[in-house]
Amino acid sequence: MTATVSVRRADYANPHDAASLVMLLDAYASDPAGGGDGLSDFAKSHLVRELAARPQAYSVLAFDGDAPVGLVNCIEGFSTFACKPLVNVHDVAVLSSHRGRGIAEQMLALAEIIARERGAVKMTLEVLSGNAPAVKLYERIGYAGYQLDPAMGTAQFMQKWL
């Protein structure tokens, strides 16, 4: 069996973390759930620097031993109704070799801890309706369809009040 998976906040200044982040996001972008095209050369060469330049951004990485296997990218926004920060979970990626092991749940738990430390009132995310395993995970850990008035229906993203 492989080593235990560890989850931690990414350090954008750490070359291993930076390379891991780009590799994992490129793998996700190459997957049908991520659009199937992979990252552009521009994105690969500028992504980490651009994330690091934005204090509202943070990432969580998962490692199997030293091998990167999962990534969550988060961007802080602002809830005007609550007049407090919110955190959008922008990317959730786990290598296909490691799916079904609870890695995404572990990364999202750490992302939530960081969001709470930032004073966020909620977390939001978007998920493709055809990605049933992801929808099931998000609902199980407390995300639900965004709705203000049931008569108006639901928005096509999910949130979790904190």
Side-chain angles (χ1 to χ4, degrees):
M1 192 85 195
T2 58
T4 302
V5 171
S6 62
V7 174
R8 62 176 170 77
R9 185 173 182 165
D11 176 356
Y12 297 137
N14 178 307
H16 184 254
D17 284 8
S20 297
L21 190 150
V22 171
M23 181 278 290
L24 290 162
L25 193 61
D26 185 49
Y28 174 47
S30 299
D31 189 88
D37 290 329
L39 296 179
S40 68
D41 289 340
F42 176 83
K44 288 177 186 175
S45 64
H46 292 84
L47 179 63
V48 175
R49 182 180 70 218
E50 292 298 324
L51 285 170
R54 289 165 171 73
Q56 69 272 26
Y58 66 92
S59 302
V60 173
L61 291 168
F63 294 92
D64 186 351
D66 289 331
V69 297
L71 166 69
V72 169
N73 284 321
C74 297
I75 310 291
E76 183 181 306
F78 188 74
S79 169
T80 54
F81 285 11
C83 194
K84 292 185 178 185
L86 62 81
V87 170
N88 177 256
V89 177
H90 197 69
D91 304 295
V92 178
V94 176
L95 294 180
S96 59
S97 60
H98 284 70
R99 291 180 186 152
R101 299 185 191 182
I103 296 169
E105 185 172 354
Q106 290 177 53
M107 291 188 298
L108 288 166
L110 178 54
E112 181 177 326
I113 288 168
I114 297 167
R116 288 178 184 276
E117 289 171 353
R118 290 171 168 246
V121 66
K122 68 178 176 178
M123 294 178 75
T124 63
L125 57 79
E126 300 167 11
V127 61
L128 296 172
S129 61
N131 191 346
V135 171
K136 183 178 178 180
L137 165 65
Y138 301 147
E139 289 176 343
R140 184 170 51 75
I141 64 173
Y143 288 82
Y146 177 80
Q147 185 177 72
L148 295 173
D149 178 347
M152 296 299 296
T154 59
Q156 295 302 307
F157 65 94
M158 300 176 82
Q159 69 180 2
K160 181 177 181 178
W161 290 99
L162 301 177

